[in-house]
Amino acid sequence: MTVFTDEQKIKYLQDIVQIKTVNDNEEEAANYLAGLLKEYGIDSYGVKYDEGRVSLVADVKGQEEGKLLVLSGHTDVVSEGDPFYWTYDPYAAEIHDGKMYGRGVNDMKAGLMALVLAMIELKEEGADFNGTIRLAATVGEEIGMYGSKQLSEEGHLDGADGFLIAEPSGQGTIIYAHKGSLQYEIHAQGQSAHSSMPEVGIDALQLMVDYINNSNEKFAEAFAKGTNEDLGDTINVNTVINGGAQINSVAEKVIMKANARTIPEVDNQVVLDQINAAIEEVNATSKGELSLNILQNNYFATSPDDNPLIEALVNANENPEAVSRETIGGATDASNFSRISDEYDLAIYGPGDMSVAHVVDEYVEVQEYLDFVDIYKQAIKDYLKV
Amino acid sequence: MTVFTDEQKIKYLQDIVQIKTVNDNEEEAANYLAGLLKEYGIDSYGVKYDEGRVSLVADVKGQEEGKLLVLSGHTDVVSEGDPFYWTYDPYAAEIHDGKMYGRGVNDMKAGLMALVLAMIELKEEGADFNGTIRLAATVGEEIGMYGSKQLSEEGHLDGADGFLIAEPSGQGTIIYAHKGSLQYEIHAQGQSAHSSMPEVGIDALQLMVDYINNSNEKFAEAFAKGTNEDLGDTINVNTVINGGAQINSVAEKVIMKANARTIPEVDNQVVLDQINAAIEEVNATSKGELSLNILQNNYFATSPDDNPLIEALVNANENPEAVSRETIGGATDASNFSRISDEYDLAIYGPGDMSVAHVVDEYVEVQEYLDFVDIYKQAIKDYLKV
């Protein structure tokens, strides 16, 4: 038994892709989903992050008490860039040769809509399960992960046993863990002077080099203290550097961006401790001043690769052996969800190829999207079985 | 006896300031000077550097053979920037409260015109002197010192005994030596990769840091080998750094600009040798590639602070004791002239305050400009006295 025809499922996805939510305006998408849920008797409530930015929470209850499974997808998308480069209008959700094109269709409105439709169908079908299915449609995942942070901190997901995040992994790959990601800037403040008289200035470029040398030593020592068998080592990469105004002036200011990827054994705070220690040591011996600006501090998320949610999703495939269990370097909303409890079942699994996210001509295979509705339904029933 | 009235002298300066020569179009200024010289029977010839860019050379001969004194000024100016910030039109040469305003009036059309007028007046007056007064009005001093390089290399100034360069020092300060200036870029070429997988990329930022560490050691050792009693030490400052595209990508390319200031004892080639050795050593141990791009390679210019040309100019002042003899960090066309011979009399001395060069509302005191015509005349006669 199914509640929706394929045409309906496709139409709903087109509708939500056509709502432009570039790191803003998620309220319109939340309202759309709330309306759809309401049609099938499912109440929901919004959690306002900012003007026009609302995350959505909705529950479907099973027969008896049981586990709490959170189904999550973010409603924001990244910018489409210059539409000139797109073959089709990035917000038209046109279908050509079995692919639906549009900004965010892959990352991750197809996954989110498949979760919502699975939830509705399970309710309409009166499916047998215990516990609670909770939708958490989040704002601002692409920049800052604001929605998942707010929902986690304000208690909306308390007691969750499992998190199913419908990020585009593709049907053949399921993710059970990912590293944390710490993004930060180091500012080196010096004082300008003509390059013929550097002694009257303070060289911010050399100050930054002193910091890099000092922190590199500290990172090497601290990062050697632990390895995660799934995720490998914590690493740090200094990625972007800009500073100095002109060739004949001592640099007054240099800013460096950096990105650390963390594991539970050597976590974000360990990285921050090394940075702060390096800054303190270099500042103590310089007239200039180094400072730290944290841009994003997303934790790792880890779970066994055979946790019950992973098993349920893998087994919902016609050919379970064809699904590989993997980890990824990038962070997801699970970074915030994972901080709610020490133990949880995590699965990141959704329609679409990860490599198509954020690019021009982003698309999802329509059939894969439709298949995922059924995979989700079966896996949810399995995970919450009576 | 004077040939020109003050009004004429002022008018000539206004004329040449009104010819816009922002690192180009110097031919128009050269033609203007050639016409003025021709009116008084002085032949000149142009030395073409490029389309629209011509340096000018002209001689006035004394009674008998004698020394060759080169009078030099550059005809190019730096950009006026945004005229919005100027109180007066930067190319109108308006006079307010005894100051003439305009781009290049200070650096260094007032000095150049004072030299030209002094030369004409000496000829018209039939002044007593031996040897040759040679005007060398150069193109492109502000960027690349192209004119002085060409005139020197092509032999137009061969046999010169003295160089009087009318850069704005102000009447109270005369310059007898300056450091060389080597401006260059270091390019670090790596390979981009996602910051979660730095091992598949080549980190251009760390490559640059390795270069800085290596070269700093070499500079410290090499620069300690000599000090000039007038100019001090050779120094190097890394001044501008830019690289990396985004926070979550290993930097593919980092470019650093740097400026070394050199003395005869530790000259430009010594600096270049250290740079090349550092590049070679770091490249040998890295998958990335460092390379050097020389932007400007201007040599120092040195002369005793009591050389006959300095003495003649100081003594041409009403109060010689009030003129201080100094060195500067910046380079002038003397960087090229000085390579013609091992020994020469150098004086850098002209109307205008050095601090007013290159700024908005650049100006020269009209009276100082007029005074310099007389100072030059007297000093030239003294230096080339029978």
Side-chain angles (χ1 to χ4, degrees):
Chain A
M1 174 192 166
T2 53
V3 177
F4 301 110
T5 64
D6 284 353
E7 288 65 36
Q8 284 177 299
K9 292 175 190 166
I10 292 167
K11 173 65 168 49
Y12 294 139
L13 177 55
Q14 287 177 312
D15 285 348
I16 200 165
V17 170
Q18 287 165 7
I19 299 170
K20 190 172 172 179
T21 53
V22 180
N23 202 46
D24 197 2
N25 194 41
E26 295 97 333
E27 184 171 20
E28 197 179 336
N31 287 344
Y32 179 85
L33 294 178
L36 184 58
L37 291 164
K38 188 75 192 165
E39 275 185 51
Y40 295 92
I42 302 173
D43 289 330
S44 62
Y45 65 95
V47 177
K48 183 172 175 174
Y49 170 71
D50 204 345
E51 208 55 51
R53 310 193 67 175
V54 174
S55 296
L56 193 76
V57 179
D59 283 359
V60 169
K61 300 271 185 188
Q63 275 78 352
E64 297 177 20
E65 292 295 298
K67 291 193 276 197
L68 169 57
L69 173 62
V70 174
L71 310 181
S72 183
H74 60 82
T75 48
D76 63 308
V77 303
V78 298
S79 167
E80 71 278 16
D82 188 340
F84 172 82
Y85 295 105
W86 285 70
T87 309
Y88 311 107
D89 181 334
Y91 296 105
E94 290 179 32
I95 297 170
H96 299 272
D97 290 332
K99 296 181 173 76
M100 187 186 297
Y101 289 86
R103 172 53 81 226
V105 65
N106 167 292
D107 184 7
M108 55 177 286
K109 285 175 172 174
L112 173 62
M113 186 54 76
L115 289 176
V116 170
L117 298 182
M119 191 172 169
I120 293 173
E121 290 204 339
L122 288 173
K123 171 166 188 298
E124 287 297 296
E125 293 167 10
D128 242 17
F129 68 92
N130 288 340
T132 302
I133 306 168
R134 178 167 300 167
L135 176 72
T138 59
V139 305
E141 191 269 351
E142 296 288 0
I143 298 181
M145 301 191 180
Y146 306 124
S148 58
K149 188 163 188 284
Q150 185 181 20
L151 292 184
S152 301
E153 287 178 352
E154 294 182 0
H156 299 281
L157 309 177
D158 280 0
D161 299 283
F163 294 100
L164 167 52
I165 301 176
E167 289 271 3
S169 61
Q171 196 176 341
T173 306
I174 191 162
I175 312 299
Y176 62 95
H178 63 66
K179 282 186 172 179
S181 177
L182 175 68
Q183 298 193 341
Y184 60 96
E185 288 177 345
I186 304 293
H187 291 234
Q189 181 67 52
Q191 192 176 300
S192 188
H194 197 267
S195 58
S196 62
M197 300 179 294
E199 64 282 4
V200 306
I202 300 169
D203 185 343
L205 203 166
Q206 185 57 45
L207 185 63
M208 187 64 87
V209 171
D210 292 344
Y211 163 79
I212 294 171
N213 289 333
N214 189 304
S215 62
N216 275 351
E217 281 186 30
K218 290 188 167 55
F219 288 150
E221 192 177 334
F223 296 176
K225 287 185 180 160
T227 293
N228 184 280
E229 63 174 6
D230 291 321
L231 297 171
D233 295 327
T234 285
I235 55 172
N236 180 82
V237 188
N238 299 320
T239 48
V240 181
I241 190 165
N242 288 295
Q246 52 188 53
I247 196 165
N248 60 351
S249 294
V250 171
E252 176 144 329
K253 194 167 185 68
V254 174
I255 297 178
M256 183 171 74
K257 294 182 196 291
N259 187 195
R261 303 278 172 163
T262 57
I263 61 171
E265 293 79 1
V266 180
D267 70 9
N268 298 37
Q269 192 54 49
V270 172
V271 180
L272 288 169
D273 288 347
Q274 311 314 308
I275 295 168
N276 284 317
I279 286 176
E280 200 174 311
E281 282 184 21
V282 176
N283 278 348
T285 60
S286 165
K287 286 178 291 179
E289 182 155 12
L290 293 161
S291 58
L292 166 67
N293 178 28
I294 298 173
L295 302 174
Q296 273 196 18
N297 189 6
N298 297 320
Y299 267 63
F300 41 81
T302 57
S303 186
D305 70 353
D306 60 353
N307 74 63
L309 185 56
I310 295 277
E311 292 297 330
L313 286 158
V314 169
N315 290 327
N317 279 270
E318 269 183 36
N319 185 4
E321 285 71 36
V323 182
S324 68
R325 299 160 196 231
E326 299 187 7
T327 65
I328 49 171
T332 71
D333 273 339
S335 294
N336 288 315
F337 299 152
S338 70
R339 300 177 80 171
I340 295 172
S341 72
D342 284 340
E343 245 177 279
Y344 49 87
D345 304 317
L346 173 65
I348 299 168
Y349 192 45
D353 183 335
M354 212 170 278
S355 71
V356 177
H358 299 202
V359 303
V360 160
D361 289 340
E362 179 178 347
Y363 69 87
V364 77
E365 298 277 355
V366 174
Q367 190 57 52
E368 191 184 21
Y369 158 66
L370 295 172
D371 291 344
F372 258 91
V373 179
D374 296 326
I375 291 171
Y376 288 151
K377 279 171 66 178
Q378 190 179 325
I380 293 166
K381 278 192 290 189
D382 184 6
Y383 183 72
L384 298 178
K385 64 178 172 282
V386 177
Chain B
M1 173 193 165
T2 55
V3 177
F4 301 111
T5 63
D6 285 352
E7 288 64 36
Q8 284 177 300
K9 293 174 189 164
I10 292 167
K11 174 63 169 49
Y12 295 140
L13 178 54
Q14 286 177 312
D15 285 348
I16 200 166
V17 170
Q18 287 165 7
I19 299 170
K20 190 172 173 179
T21 52
V22 180
N23 201 47
D24 198 1
N25 194 40
E26 295 97 333
E27 183 169 23
E28 197 180 336
N31 287 343
Y32 179 85
L33 293 178
L36 183 59
L37 292 164
K38 187 75 190 165
E39 275 185 51
Y40 296 93
I42 302 173
D43 289 330
S44 62
Y45 66 95
V47 178
K48 182 172 176 174
Y49 170 70
D50 203 346
E51 208 53 52
R53 310 193 67 173
V54 174
S55 295
L56 193 76
V57 179
D59 283 0
V60 170
K61 300 270 185 188
Q63 274 78 352
E64 298 177 19
E65 293 293 299
K67 291 193 278 197
L68 169 58
L69 173 62
V70 174
L71 310 181
S72 182
H74 59 83
T75 48
D76 63 309
V77 303
V78 297
S79 167
E80 71 278 17
D82 187 341
F84 172 82
Y85 297 106
W86 285 69
T87 309
Y88 311 107
D89 181 335
Y91 296 104
E94 290 180 31
I95 297 170
H96 299 272
D97 290 332
K99 296 181 171 77
M100 187 186 297
Y101 289 87
R103 171 53 82 228
V105 66
N106 166 293
D107 182 9
M108 56 177 286
K109 286 176 171 173
L112 173 61
M113 186 55 75
L115 289 175
V116 170
L117 298 182
M119 190 172 170
I120 294 172
E121 290 205 338
L122 289 172
K123 171 166 189 298
E124 287 298 295
E125 292 166 13
D128 243 16
F129 68 92
N130 288 340
T132 303
I133 306 169
R134 177 168 300 167
L135 176 71
T138 59
V139 304
E141 191 269 351
E142 297 288 1
I143 298 181
M145 300 191 180
Y146 307 122
S148 58
K149 187 163 189 284
Q150 184 181 20
L151 292 185
S152 302
E153 288 177 352
E154 294 182 0
H156 300 280
L157 309 177
D158 280 0
D161 298 284
F163 295 100
L164 167 52
I165 301 175
E167 288 271 3
S169 61
Q171 197 176 340
T173 305
I174 192 163
I175 312 300
Y176 61 95
H178 63 66
K179 282 187 172 178
S181 177
L182 175 68
Q183 298 193 341
Y184 61 97
E185 288 177 345
I186 303 293
H187 291 234
Q189 180 68 51
Q191 192 175 301
S192 188
H194 197 268
S195 59
S196 63
M197 299 180 294
E199 66 280 3
V200 305
I202 300 169
D203 185 342
L205 203 165
Q206 185 56 46
L207 185 64
M208 187 63 86
V209 171
D210 292 344
Y211 163 79
I212 294 171
N213 289 332
N214 188 304
S215 62
N216 276 350
E217 280 185 32
K218 290 189 168 55
F219 288 149
E221 191 177 335
F223 296 176
K225 287 184 181 161
T227 293
N228 184 280
E229 63 174 8
D230 291 319
L231 298 171
D233 295 326
T234 285
I235 55 172
N236 180 82
V237 189
N238 300 320
T239 48
V240 181
I241 189 165
N242 288 295
Q246 52 187 53
I247 195 165
N248 60 351
S249 293
V250 171
E252 176 145 330
K253 193 166 186 68
V254 175
I255 297 177
M256 184 172 74
K257 294 182 195 292
N259 186 195
R261 303 278 172 163
T262 57
I263 61 172
E265 294 79 1
V266 181
D267 69 9
N268 298 37
Q269 194 53 50
V270 172
V271 180
L272 289 170
D273 289 345
Q274 310 314 309
I275 295 168
N276 284 318
I279 285 176
E280 200 174 311
E281 282 184 20
V282 176
N283 278 348
T285 62
S286 165
K287 285 178 292 178
E289 183 155 12
L290 293 161
S291 57
L292 165 67
N293 178 29
I294 298 172
L295 302 173
Q296 274 196 17
N297 189 7
N298 297 320
Y299 268 62
F300 41 81
T302 57
S303 187
D305 70 354
D306 60 352
N307 73 63
L309 185 57
I310 294 278
E311 292 297 329
L313 285 158
V314 168
N315 290 328
N317 279 269
E318 271 184 32
N319 185 3
E321 285 71 34
V323 182
S324 68
R325 300 162 196 228
E326 299 188 6
T327 66
I328 49 172
T332 72
D333 273 339
S335 295
N336 287 315
F337 299 152
S338 69
R339 301 178 79 170
I340 295 172
S341 72
D342 285 340
E343 244 177 280
Y344 50 88
D345 304 318
L346 172 66
I348 299 166
Y349 192 45
D353 183 335
M354 212 170 278
S355 71
V356 177
H358 300 201
V359 304
V360 160
D361 288 341
E362 178 178 346
Y363 69 87
V364 78
E365 298 277 355
V366 173
Q367 190 55 54
E368 191 184 19
Y369 158 66
L370 296 172
D371 290 345
F372 258 90
V373 178
D374 295 326
I375 291 171
Y376 287 151
K377 279 172 64 179
Q378 190 178 324
I380 292 166
K381 279 191 290 190
D382 185 5
Y383 183 72
L384 298 178
K385 62 179 173 283
V386 178

